[in-house]
Amino acid sequence: MYEFRPIELGNTNIIEMANLLSEVFPETKKFTSEFLNWQYVDNPHGKVVGFNAYVDGDLVAHYATIPVLWKIHGELKKGLLSLNTATHKNHRGKKLFTQLAEKSYKLGKDLGYEFVIGVANANSSPGFIKKLDFKLICPLDAYLSISSNQQELQEFNSISAWDAESLFWRFQNPEASYSKTKNSVFSKTHIPIVKSIMYRGKAVSALALRPSKSILKLHIGHNCKPTGLSLKIPRKRQPSPLNLIYRALNDHKIPSNEEICFRLMDFDAY
């Protein structure tokens, strides 16, 4: 009944994927053709890896990952970031998500990718862990602070490897609003006086972003907590508690909670 195809990136394909994602998530306005082109096509680390399911030529389910580059135990590895998944309401309960995901991971492995990393909420975490063999690395922490300073990152041997080209691409997201100070990049949140801190580093000076005027900073991630006075937001007070999950596509050692640093810019929340 269902026809499974690797994601294609023609204009018509982009539009149909944007339409399905927008229909499944009507409260989210970001799923435009421009956004998917940025996310799926323009990424300097490579194009989207994923699968679609069709019935009589109509797209009914979608799963996508995008390439990322990480230093895992000190070695550079090509991986995939688990991103967008959507199933039309008339086709739920058919295990389409797990089928699309497994096909995507096999394709990714065949293309030389070594792992899949992702952020799952409380509802989706059990499915990834029990049905797709992901390992829970840790819950993500959230802090409010008046400072943008964070703990030093050099001590972690498993951390995303952003370079000038990928940083430039990351902050070209057409559905987000970024600003910066001397060495930090921020994203707008739904609270006017709060901005989320995305990235800190010397490379910020080369980014053409408007100046930031934030008062409170939101820090989300793992092992990148703010220094100085801050307030940790309890998980029960977070709108959607998030978990960092990981699946190896070969036999390398999965990084532990203590070894890995994960920053807000490493996934697609902003």
Side-chain angles (χ1 to χ4, degrees):
M1 178 181 180
Y2 294 103
E3 179 186 2
F4 298 101
R5 302 181 207 162
I7 290 174
E8 299 173 277
L9 294 172
N11 288 338
T12 301
N13 305 110
I14 291 287
I15 291 170
E16 68 179 3
M17 290 184 288
N19 288 342
L20 177 63
L21 286 160
S22 296
E23 181 177 353
V24 173
F25 303 104
E27 73 286 355
T28 302
K29 306 302 180 185
K30 71 179 182 180
F31 291 118
T32 63
S33 295
E34 184 181 15
F35 175 79
L36 290 190
N37 268 301
W38 166 76
Q39 199 171 58
Y40 290 2
V41 180
D42 297 338
N43 180 359
H45 290 315
K47 291 181 171 53
V48 65
V49 176
F51 267 79
N52 287 329
Y54 294 84
V55 172
D56 297 327
D58 294 328
L59 177 65
V60 298
H62 170 72
Y63 178 68
T65 68
I66 61 170
V68 292
L69 187 64
W70 272 68
K71 183 179 72 171
I72 304 293
H73 301 302
E75 295 184 3
L76 283 179
K77 292 184 180 293
K78 293 166 50 182
L80 297 169
L81 174 65
S82 179
L83 281 175
N84 304 326
T85 179
T87 301
H88 190 277
K89 62 182 180 180
N90 294 338
H91 296 270
R92 291 171 189 163
K94 309 291 186 181
K95 300 182 179 180
L96 290 176
F97 165 63
T98 53
Q99 293 182 77
L100 292 175
E102 288 292 4
K103 290 178 182 294
S104 300
Y105 305 154
K106 182 180 184 305
L107 175 59
K109 183 176 181 179
D110 292 344
L111 291 172
Y113 295 101
E114 300 187 64
F115 65 91
V116 184
I117 196 166
V119 174
N121 61 28
N123 291 329
S124 60
S125 293
F128 278 102
I129 294 168
K130 294 178 181 178
K131 297 179 181 179
L132 292 171
D133 295 327
F134 276 81
K135 303 300 181 185
L136 172 64
I137 299 293
C138 59
L140 296 187
D141 294 322
Y143 295 86
L144 279 176
S145 172
I146 59 173
S147 170
S148 59
N149 294 327
Q150 294 179 317
Q151 67 187 95
E152 291 296 322
L153 305 181
Q154 289 86 348
E155 61 190 273
F156 299 104
N157 67 13
S158 296
I159 190 170
S160 55
W162 294 95
D163 58 18
E165 185 180 15
S166 57
L167 275 176
F168 176 82
W169 164 78
R170 179 64 180 84
F171 296 120
Q172 293 296 307
N173 180 347
E175 298 301 320
S177 176
Y178 301 114
S179 58
K180 72 174 186 177
T181 56
K182 181 180 179 180
N183 58 3
S184 300
V185 176
F186 303 90
S187 176
K188 183 174 66 175
T189 71
H190 65 286
I191 304 173
I193 63 170
V194 177
K195 289 191 177 178
S196 56
I197 179 164
M198 302 290 295
Y199 178 79
R200 280 182 57 81
K202 296 178 181 179
V204 171
S205 60
L207 299 172
L209 300 172
R210 60 187 175 82
S212 176
K213 299 179 181 179
S214 61
I215 299 174
L216 288 174
K217 284 83 172 178
L218 174 65
H219 300 246
I220 298 176
H222 177 64
N223 283 332
C224 55
K225 64 184 293 186
T227 58
L229 185 63
S230 63
L231 173 66
K232 186 174 183 179
I233 304 172
R235 279 180 69 83
K236 65 182 180 180
R237 299 294 184 187
Q238 297 175 26
S240 178
L242 301 173
N243 296 314
L244 178 61
I245 56 175
Y246 190 102
R247 171 171 163 167
L249 298 180
N250 57 20
D251 59 358
H252 72 269
K253 180 185 175 185
I254 295 176
S256 69
N257 180 352
E258 296 78 17
E259 295 171 317
I260 193 168
C261 173
F262 192 82
R263 295 167 284 181
L264 184 57
M265 67 177 296
D266 295 330
F267 67 114
D268 65 330
Y270 295 101

